[in-house]
């Protein structure tokens, strides 16, 4: 490709609304342009990178035995109602109406469609295991589309769905995808690691996310260097000790705490109740019902765990008015000992199990209760792990201190079980002659997000540093004089032609621009190797090879081609 005849609109400055480095570089390197928030046009170079990542994914999916298909992005609502996700996923669904006012869904994933296909096509255990995948556009009505391609309204996803006749088979299918994902992200040049994950509205009971460490990542990951435990904070647990039981002097005496409405205020004189001897009572509205959540005063509620454990579709903190209507007091004086209506569930965090000599709100503004024993004084409906793990807590597996890191989720694998096959009637006849639901797994990779994650991880002060496997072009040939008859341009054309003939992806920067401009652009776009040809060095029979992010190397003009091939071979 000749640069002058291509379309690479690089920018000197970052557009003001680009928040994170990779977003800025996407725009500055001329890879994409924003249409409006969460919607981007892929420009030629960006599209090349996207296609490379897609094809690399295809290679690994095919290698793992998955079979490519393509499903409609426009989907009928009835299958979404059948799976239950018309309601449970409604907040992310884009819905469209047709001329007869019939409603359709723009696919955010395709469990419903693939299970419908399986229902019609998979009749016998002999047809399994089978794994179908597609690479296609997905739509999600995100609350906060941001960071460019990271969280978009429309994006490219590779989604795969495995069907097995048994649980063991499904586990093996899951493991094949897990291994394929590791290969895919490694081949993309990404430092990545799998973590245990929450399953969210997709459902199922076993799941891993593939994370790319990055300070701008939207996920927090808890991990143990000693034993390798790693989990999304939404799922992570630790071996932190339960609240120590101790001698208890009284039985829930009420005492006045005028104006005290925080854990911290109660921990100070004259009350001096340490946060770890306080019970924090939170009122949530879960699927329209008020629920009390009890957490130790020095712990934080993890809302994802709360949703996962209770199966609630939606939950939010109650307003002060709703708190007062439920418990007769405002936040700051709430508790679960006195005046809790029998219909209101009390969910308590495991760390409080057996705790006594605790202090909590009296459900009367300006009053608390001391010497509270959970077992004696509170009717806990259910115990769950609801707290958020913090750095330094002992690992549940090996007791070494846990660490935390921010990361970008690029892929997610789920063991679905039979949730979708039962609801959408994907049954098969097993070897024993019985009809059984297919055991499913689903596996997603955010292709466009992966592309940006590579940029987020692979860059320096001058721009992107593409790993060879996903670079838009491997080599940029940069003649410093572009007059047709110049020796410089003639050599540049020769190298360009020879590389092209050898199947190397090469771009010739034939623009009549200052060397500084060309070098800056090549660095910004991030081609793995730049081959510069200038009059001075050519007078000595030499050309410059500069690996992106590496040092300039002068090589004999006649050896240039061999050196370029050697460089590419070493990188691939
Ligand atoms: P997130 O937690 O980031 O919202 P998710 O868990 O809802 O993502 P999945 O349903 O697991 O996403 O989708 C599979 C993959 O699709 C994700 O791992 C991610 O890489 C990508 N993805 C999801 N939502 C978006 C989005 N709005 N924009 C770009 N990529 C996305
Ligand atoms: Mg996910």
């Amino acid at each position: 490709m000749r640069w002058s005849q291509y379309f690479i609109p690089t920018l000197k400055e970052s557009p003001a609304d680009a928040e994170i480095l990779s977003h800025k570089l996407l725009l500055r390197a001329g890879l994409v342009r924003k249409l409006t928030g969460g919607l981007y046009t892929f420009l030629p170079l960006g599209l090349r990178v996207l296609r490379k990542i897609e094809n690399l994914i295809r290679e690994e999916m095919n290698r793992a035995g998955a079979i490519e298909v393509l499903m409609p992005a426009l989907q009928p609502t009835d299958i979404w109602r059948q799976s239950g996700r018309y309601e449970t996923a409604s907040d992310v669904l884009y819905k469209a109406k047709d001329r007869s006012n019939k409603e359709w869904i723009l696919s955010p994933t395709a469990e419903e469609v693939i299970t419908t296909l399986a229902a019609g096509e998979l009749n016998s255990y002999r047809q399994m295991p089978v794994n179908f995948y597609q690479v296609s556009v997905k739509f999600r009505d995100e609350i906060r589309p941001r960071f460019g391609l990271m969280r978009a309204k429309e994006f490219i996803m590779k989604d795969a769905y495995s069907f097995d006749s048994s649980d063991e088979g499904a586990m093996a299918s899951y493991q094949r995808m897990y291994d394929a994902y590791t290969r895919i992200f490694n081949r993309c040049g990404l430092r990545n690691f799998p973590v245990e994950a929450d399953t969210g509205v997709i459902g199922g009971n076993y799941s891993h996310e593939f994370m790319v460490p990055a300070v701008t990542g939207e996920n927090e990951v808890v991990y143990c260097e000693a034993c390798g435990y790693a989990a999304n904070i939404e799922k992570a647990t630790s071996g932190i000790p339960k609240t120590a039981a101790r001698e208890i002097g009284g039985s829930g005496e009420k005492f006045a705490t005028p104006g005290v409405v925080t854990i911290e205020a109660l921990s100070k004189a004259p009350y001096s109740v340490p946060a770890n001897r306080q019970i924090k009572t939170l009122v949530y509205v879960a699927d329209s019902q008020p629920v009390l959540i009890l957490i130790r005063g020095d712990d934080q509620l993890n809302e994802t765990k709360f949703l996962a454990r209770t199966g609630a579709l939606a939950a939010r903190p109650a307003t002060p008015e709703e708190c007062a209507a439920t418990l007769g007091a405002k936040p700051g004086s709430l508790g679960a000992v006195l005046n809790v209506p029998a219909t209101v569930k009390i969910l308590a965090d495991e760390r409080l199990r057996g705790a006594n000599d605790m202090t909590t709100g009296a459900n009367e503004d300006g009053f608390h209760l001391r010497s509270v024993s959970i077992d004696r004084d509170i009717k806990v409906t259910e115990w769950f792990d609801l707290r958020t793990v913090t750095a330094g807590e002992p690992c549940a597996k090996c007791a070494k201190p846990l660490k935390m890191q921010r990361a970008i989720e690029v892929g997610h694998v789920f063991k679905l079980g039979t949730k979708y096959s039962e609801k959408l009637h994907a049954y098969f006849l097993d070897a024993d002659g019985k009809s059984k639901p297919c055991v499913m797994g689903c596996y997603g990779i955010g292709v466009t997000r992966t592309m940006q994650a590579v940029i987020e991880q692979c860059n320096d002060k001058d721009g992107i540093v593409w790993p060879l496997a996903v670079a838009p072009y491997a080599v940029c040939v940069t003649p410093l004089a572009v007059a047709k008859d110049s020796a410089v341009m003639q050599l540049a054309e020769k190298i360009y032609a020879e590389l092209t003939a050898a199947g190397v992806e090469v771009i010739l920067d034939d623009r009549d621009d200052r060397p500084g401009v060309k070098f800056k652009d090549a660095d910004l776009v991030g081609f793995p190797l730049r081959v510069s040809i200038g009059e001075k060095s050519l007078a000595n029979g030499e050309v410059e090879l500069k690996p992106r992010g590496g040092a300039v190397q002068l090589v004999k003009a006649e050896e240039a081609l061999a050196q370029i091939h050697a460089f590419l071979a070493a990188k691939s």
Side-chain angles (χ1 to χ4, degrees), residues 227-241:
C227 75
Y229 170 74
N232 192 312
I233 188 113
E234 296 175 340
K235 170 95 180 173
T237 56
S238 79
I240 200 156

Side-chain angles (χ1 to χ4, degrees), residues 209 409 412 414:
E209 287 163 333
E409 176 200 327
H412 200 163
F414 299 83

Side-chain angles (χ1 to χ4, degrees), residues 295-449:
I295 290 276
R296 211 169 89 168
D298 54 343
D299 282 338
Q300 296 299 324
L301 171 68
N302 185 319
E303 286 193 8
T304 309
K305 284 186 180 176
F306 168 61
L307 284 173
R309 306 292 183 275
T310 58
L313 301 182
R316 60 168 175 84
T319 62
E321 295 71 35
E322 286 167 331
C323 290
T326 309
L327 296 177
K330 288 206 270 310
S333 304
L334 302 176
V337 180
L338 302 175
N339 308 327
V340 182
T343 52
V344 175
K345 281 192 180 159
I346 303 175
L347 310 182
D349 178 56
E350 284 289 353
R351 202 178 181 195
L352 287 170
R353 221 188 247 272
N356 61 7
D357 199 15
M358 303 297 285
T359 297
T360 191
N363 283 341
E364 186 178 336
D365 289 340
F367 288 90
H368 279 79
L369 303 174
R370 62 163 67 97
S371 306
V372 168
S373 156
I374 288 236
D375 290 345
R376 184 190 61 201
D377 302 328
I378 299 181
K379 287 200 185 66
V380 174
T381 319
E382 262 180 293
W383 291 92
F384 291 116
D385 164 37
L386 294 172
R387 66 183 289 280
T388 307
V389 168
T390 58
E393 290 176 14
C395 172
K397 293 194 173 153
C398 75
K400 293 275 167 13
L402 292 169
K403 296 197 163 177
M404 289 233 247
Q405 180 162 45
R406 292 206 76 83
I408 301 162
E409 176 200 327
V410 285
H412 200 163
V413 293
F414 299 83
K415 196 166 164 287
L416 288 174
T418 54
K419 170 179 165 178
Y420 291 87
S421 41
E422 282 177 38
K423 290 191 166 149
L424 292 148
H425 313 301
Y427 282 73
F428 68 96
L429 214 52
D430 206 353
D432 60 9
K434 290 195 179 129
S435 173
K436 297 176 186 170
C438 300
V439 189
M440 292 175 59
C442 73
Y443 318 92
I445 291 181
V447 184
T448 40
R449 186 185 283 181

Side-chain angles (χ1 to χ4, degrees), residues 22-70:
S22 54
H23 186 193
K24 291 177 186 165
L25 288 173
L26 268 175
L27 294 163
R28 285 193 55 212
L31 303 178
V32 304
R33 280 295 180 266
K34 177 166 135 181
L35 172 63
T36 179
L39 296 174
Y40 289 82
T41 297
F42 278 76
L43 302 182
L45 281 189
L47 185 60
R48 283 185 72 90
V49 176
L50 181 62
R51 292 285 182 253
K52 285 209 163 168
I53 299 176
E54 286 177 3
N55 287 334
L56 189 156
I57 292 172
R58 283 192 174 94
E59 279 176 29
E60 292 301 333
M61 294 305 289
N62 296 344
R63 186 206 297 266
I67 308 166
E68 188 168 4
V69 296
L70 184 60

Side-chain angles (χ1 to χ4, degrees), residues 18 38 67 207 226 292 363 383 476 507 521 530 561:
I67 308 166
S207 167
L292 302 194
N363 283 341
W383 291 92
C476 178
I507 186 161
D521 274 353
R530 191 182 73 215
L561 212 59

Side-chain angles (χ1 to χ4, degrees), residues 9-232:
T10 57
L11 303 173
K12 284 210 179 64
E13 307 292 331
S14 306
D17 59 348
E19 300 133 298
I20 60 173
L21 187 62
S22 54
H23 186 193
K24 291 177 186 165
L25 288 173
L26 268 175
L27 294 163
R28 285 193 55 212
L31 303 178
V32 304
R33 280 295 180 266
K34 177 166 135 181
L35 172 63
T36 179
L39 296 174
Y40 289 82
T41 297
F42 278 76
L43 302 182
L45 281 189
L47 185 60
R48 283 185 72 90
V49 176
L50 181 62
R51 292 285 182 253
K52 285 209 163 168
I53 299 176
E54 286 177 3
N55 287 334
L56 189 156
I57 292 172
R58 283 192 174 94
E59 279 176 29
E60 292 301 333
M61 294 305 289
N62 296 344
R63 186 206 297 266
I67 308 166
E68 188 168 4
V69 296
L70 184 60
M71 292 174 257
L74 194 64
Q75 307 183 347
T77 53
D78 56 347
I79 52 177
W80 283 82
R81 289 185 198 280
Q82 249 173 289
S83 72
R85 287 208 299 179
Y86 184 82
E87 285 81 28
T88 57
S90 77
D91 54 337
V92 298
L93 294 181
Y94 274 111
K95 294 168 187 164
K97 291 228 166 124
D98 68 14
R99 66 186 76 218
S100 60
N101 217 28
K102 184 173 151 66
E103 197 176 55
W104 300 82
I105 283 167
L106 291 174
S107 172
T109 60
E111 283 78 9
E112 284 75 4
V113 174
I114 201 74
T115 313
T116 303
L117 181 84
E121 304 295 328
L122 301 181
N123 310 313
S124 158
Y125 71 97
R126 291 177 207 276
Q127 292 169 286
M128 288 178 274
V130 65
N131 184 332
F132 298 110
Y133 79 94
Q134 66 173 347
V135 180
S136 68
V137 174
K138 303 292 186 299
F139 302 87
R140 290 193 187 180
D141 190 359
E142 298 282 355
I143 305 171
R144 273 187 81 193
R146 59 178 186 159
F147 298 163
L149 306 177
M150 290 289 188
R151 187 166 295 287
K153 292 177 169 150
E154 181 186 317
F155 57 97
I156 309 279
M157 192 201 288
K158 185 288 300 173
D159 42 330
Y161 307 88
S162 63
F163 294 85
D164 276 273
S165 57
S166 69
D167 257 335
E168 304 79 72
M171 218 37 233
S173 294
Y174 183 93
Q175 191 60 41
R176 269 195 296 280
M177 286 296 105
Y178 182 102
D179 295 341
Y181 275 33
T182 302
R183 287 184 61 89
I184 287 167
F185 297 121
N186 287 347
R187 282 186 63 191
C188 286
L190 282 168
R191 270 182 294 121
N192 69 91
F193 57 99
V195 305
E196 292 176 15
D198 175 57
T199 51
V201 302
I202 290 225
N205 46 18
Y206 191 67
S207 167
H208 288 87
E209 287 163 333
F210 285 78
M211 292 290 183
V212 168
V215 283
T216 54
E218 293 189 283
N219 292 270
E220 189 107 56
V221 169
V222 174
Y223 66 100
C224 174
E225 273 174 344
C227 75
Y229 170 74
N232 192 312

